[in-house]
Amino acid sequence: MAVTVRQMSLIVATLGAISFFFGIIAENKKPAAGTPITGKGVVICKYPSDPTVVLGYLSFGFLVASGVAGFLSLFYPYKGKSVPQSTMFRSTSFLVFFNIALFTAGLAAALLLWPTITEHFHLNRKVHHNLETDCPTAKTGLLGGGAFISLDSTLFWLVSLMLADNAREDYFDEVEKDYKGEHELVVTDDYHVPAHLKGAA
């Protein structure tokens, strides 16, 4: 079954929306801090049940999937017809949105992955020799910001796909015109009768 532009756009949008959804929930579920319990020369941090790490990794994973699907959708040979990549990048609009999509995807990945790894580190390292520790968690706001930028990245991939589809149609229109022009030229040359032969006839 051939994949259409609409189907690819739905895949990209769905993956991006899921990434956004998990990122927002991860931000909302993240505790502000843990509870310090003082022992003999150490502080043990007790954290509430925290799904932030799992949700953060899921958000990051779906962001990567959305970015890969978005990138592949731009150059996929729809209806078995491939287009040279140079044709796409001739369009200034496509080039701008393509680079913005890449940049926002990278920024979203950093904002999602950094606090997730930090939170994972805090949850695994609960024993502290610094008696003044306040049992911190990952910085608040990064996961939420990453989720919104992830959604923005998805939108930029969709705009790039729309511009790529327009460039693809223009390319095939030019190819068809060139083919018709060459075909008409061949037909005219094949059936052209010189004037002196017309007189002889």
Side-chain angles (χ1 to χ4, degrees):
M1 180 180 176
V3 181
T4 63
V5 173
R6 179 174 293 181
Q7 289 172 331
M8 287 300 290
S9 63
L10 286 174
I11 291 172
V12 174
T14 301
L15 293 172
I18 294 174
S19 173
F20 169 76
F21 178 74
F22 280 133
I24 291 297
I25 295 179
E27 179 65 49
N28 290 333
K29 294 293 184 180
K30 187 185 75 66
T35 303
I37 301 174
T38 305
K40 292 183 179 180
V42 295
V43 172
I44 300 173
C45 292
K46 183 179 179 181
Y47 292 96
S49 178
D50 184 9
T52 301
V53 173
V54 174
L55 294 173
Y57 283 129
L58 284 172
S59 179
F60 172 76
F62 278 101
L63 167 66
V64 172
S66 175
V68 170
F71 182 86
L72 294 177
S73 70
L74 302 179
F75 309 107
Y76 182 82
Y78 298 99
K79 298 180 182 179
K81 299 178 180 179
S82 59
V83 177
Q85 293 186 9
S86 58
T87 301
M88 304 287 189
F89 291 104
R90 287 177 192 166
S91 169
T92 304
S93 299
F94 173 81
L95 184 61
V96 169
F97 279 98
F98 176 78
N99 286 320
I100 293 176
L102 284 177
F103 173 76
T104 51
L107 181 59
L111 290 176
L112 289 173
L113 203 55
W114 180 20
T116 301
I117 293 174
T118 303
E119 187 74 2
H120 197 180
F121 175 78
H122 286 313
L123 293 179
N124 287 334
R125 188 172 174 268
K126 296 180 179 180
V127 179
H128 301 271
H129 294 284
N130 180 9
L131 299 180
E132 296 181 358
T133 185
D134 54 357
C135 297
T137 58
K139 187 174 178 61
T140 301
L142 291 180
L143 283 167
F148 277 102
I149 296 177
S150 174
L151 187 62
D152 290 339
S153 174
T154 300
L155 295 175
F156 284 121
W157 282 123
L158 293 176
V159 173
S160 298
L161 178 56
M162 179 188 68
L163 294 172
D165 189 45
N166 291 339
R168 187 178 292 105
E169 290 179 359
D170 293 340
Y171 172 78
F172 287 121
D173 286 343
E174 291 178 6
V175 169
E176 188 176 352
K177 287 179 182 178
D178 291 341
Y179 174 77
K180 286 182 178 179
E182 291 177 1
H183 183 68
E184 289 175 358
L185 181 62
V186 170
V187 171
T188 303
D189 288 346
D190 286 347
Y191 291 94
H192 178 69
V193 180
H196 68 278
L197 293 180
K198 287 182 179 178

